[in-house]
Amino acid sequence: MAESDESAAEETAMDTTTAAETPTSSEAAAESADGIAFSLGSRSISTGAALYTLLQQKQYYESVSSSYYSSEMTAEDWQEIQSDGNTLAQNLTRSVWDTLCDDLAAAGYADANGIVLTEQESSGAEQKAREEYAAIPETDRTLTGLQEPDWISQKQLEALYEKVKEQVSGSYQKEITDDEARTMRYYVFAVSLDGTDGVEGLPTQEEAERRMEEIFARADAGEDISAVAKEYGYNGMEDSLSVGVYDRDENAVRALTLAAGESMTFLSDEHTLCGIYCLDAQDAELTAQRKEQMQEEAREEYFRGLLDQWKAEAEICENIGRDAFSRIL
């Protein structure tokens, strides 16, 4: 759904909604039970399904955030924390709104092109929906007004979306050369330097660089670099790096210039010196894996472009204002 002055106004309305204007849980349930949030032809998404989808995403975000920051998000955080010029609440609302319209746009394409779920696919989506609905806390059902038929319809719509995606983009192929997908394999280890807080007897940077050169020289002579590094008291690991993935990282760009057997050192911070030894400038297996990953990214981009086109052309009827989402956020 393209952004417009109207949608911007709706977001403003969401921001200025007061507690007195927000429906109670019982009012929300009554309003949502038979309500339609979005529709396209004979397809529709209920208000209950729309609000519960938003609630799911909100709960997921809060779970990840609390795990990462070791603190719980508050209701105020959703309205006060800014990202890309919007509040977190506005960004999440826009994301869920667009996702639901994606589902309808794909269904519209399916209806126009004779793509349907098989009986097995439809019943599988229904079974999944029933299992999920049974596990939803009663408080969440009441808050969103979600009914089991709503959720069954939504899961079947999502299954149809995936079928359309697979049929439309599954065979799409973009030519990708080995050079574009080149992935190097290397060994990396780090040395803590003199000045690290609370640790005594550490080498200076000059001493650490000298030790690294000794390790690299022994690796050049055919010794296993991981074993040699451990002999010096350093634990490292094998890793890989692909062209174009970290092209803003100066050290990654440098590493990608190494040939097999070449090495480099760099400071990752004030008191840590890192050493990289190139094991293979282009690992065949890793390059093949990267090429497939790039193909998948290309298919996603291709389908995304088609989906945006379908949404622009579809006459999706929006029967819900973004301010309605404020009861969740």
Side-chain angles (χ1 to χ4, degrees):
M1 178 189 64
E3 291 297 323
S4 64
D5 293 340
E6 183 179 352
S7 62
E10 288 170 341
E11 287 182 5
T12 301
M14 179 184 71
D15 293 339
T16 56
T17 300
T18 65
E21 295 168 332
T22 302
T24 64
S25 296
S26 58
E27 289 170 342
E31 178 184 320
S32 302
D34 299 313
I36 300 299
F38 305 95
S39 60
L40 176 63
S42 62
R43 303 281 183 176
S44 64
I45 296 175
S46 73
T47 302
L51 293 179
Y52 183 66
T53 300
L54 178 68
L55 181 61
Q56 277 188 311
Q57 291 301 309
K58 175 178 180 282
Q59 291 171 340
Y60 172 76
Y61 187 99
E62 288 174 335
S63 173
V64 172
S65 180
S66 63
S67 175
Y68 185 80
Y69 294 108
S70 299
S71 61
E72 299 292 330
M73 282 188 67
T74 66
E76 289 74 22
D77 288 337
W78 282 102
Q79 305 302 330
E80 295 174 1
I81 296 177
Q82 300 285 316
S83 177
D84 298 326
N86 299 307
T87 65
L88 293 182
Q90 287 173 323
N91 284 338
L92 185 63
T93 297
R94 179 180 295 111
S95 175
V96 171
W97 189 286
D98 286 345
T99 296
L100 294 171
C101 287
D102 286 348
D103 291 340
L104 275 183
Y109 177 88
D111 292 341
N113 291 274
I115 301 174
V116 297
L117 295 177
T118 65
E119 183 176 342
Q120 182 177 7
E121 290 167 339
S122 181
S123 61
E126 179 177 348
Q127 179 63 28
K128 177 181 179 181
R130 292 188 187 281
E131 291 172 357
E132 290 182 359
Y133 187 81
I136 296 173
E138 187 61 37
T139 52
D140 290 351
R141 295 185 200 171
T142 301
L143 176 62
T144 61
L146 181 66
Q147 304 293 318
E148 187 177 57
D150 296 340
W151 202 234
I152 291 173
S153 176
Q154 183 61 26
K155 290 292 109 175
Q156 290 173 331
L157 194 63
E158 291 172 8
L160 184 59
Y161 172 97
E162 292 300 330
K163 186 164 188 173
V164 169
K165 180 178 179 181
E166 167 139 8
Q167 289 197 16
V168 171
S169 63
S171 60
Y172 176 77
Q173 291 290 319
K174 178 180 179 181
E175 185 176 351
I176 300 171
T177 67
D178 285 347
D179 285 342
E180 290 173 315
R182 181 172 74 87
T183 300
M184 68 173 290
R185 185 167 53 86
Y186 63 91
Y187 184 83
V188 59
F189 62 101
V191 179
S192 296
L193 304 177
D194 182 43
T196 300
D197 291 343
V199 184
E200 298 180 354
L202 296 176
T204 63
Q205 182 175 339
E206 292 75 14
E207 291 170 336
E209 288 176 342
R210 186 166 59 252
R211 293 180 190 178
M212 284 189 174
E213 290 304 321
E214 292 174 3
I215 293 171
F216 294 147
R218 289 177 61 179
D220 288 342
E223 295 188 57
D224 182 340
I225 189 168
S226 62
V228 176
K230 286 179 182 178
E231 185 180 317
Y232 279 73
Y234 309 133
N235 290 315
M237 61 179 289
E238 280 196 27
D239 206 346
S240 61
L241 179 64
S242 300
V243 170
V245 176
Y246 298 109
D247 51 6
R248 294 185 180 180
D249 187 306
E250 154 182 358
N251 294 313
V253 172
R254 279 182 60 202
L256 284 165
T257 67
L258 300 177
E262 292 185 337
S263 58
M264 61 177 273
T265 61
F266 65 93
L267 286 169
S268 63
D269 59 48
E270 185 180 0
H271 298 299
T272 308
L273 182 70
C274 292
I276 286 181
Y277 186 85
C278 180
L279 300 169
D280 191 338
Q282 183 162 352
D283 184 283
E285 182 177 350
L286 293 174
T287 296
Q289 291 174 6
R290 173 60 181 157
K291 187 179 290 189
E292 181 52 40
Q293 181 184 13
M294 292 174 72
Q295 284 286 4
E296 184 58 34
E297 291 169 355
R299 284 190 284 269
E300 285 285 342
E301 184 178 356
Y302 172 71
F303 185 67
R304 182 73 255 171
L306 289 176
L307 199 56
D308 288 343
Q309 179 183 330
W310 298 342
K311 282 204 296 185
E313 295 172 351
E315 297 182 1
I316 296 176
C317 185
E318 299 165 4
N319 303 309
I320 183 172
R322 297 193 186 196
D323 57 310
F325 281 29
S326 64
R327 73 183 65 159
I328 307 300
L329 291 164

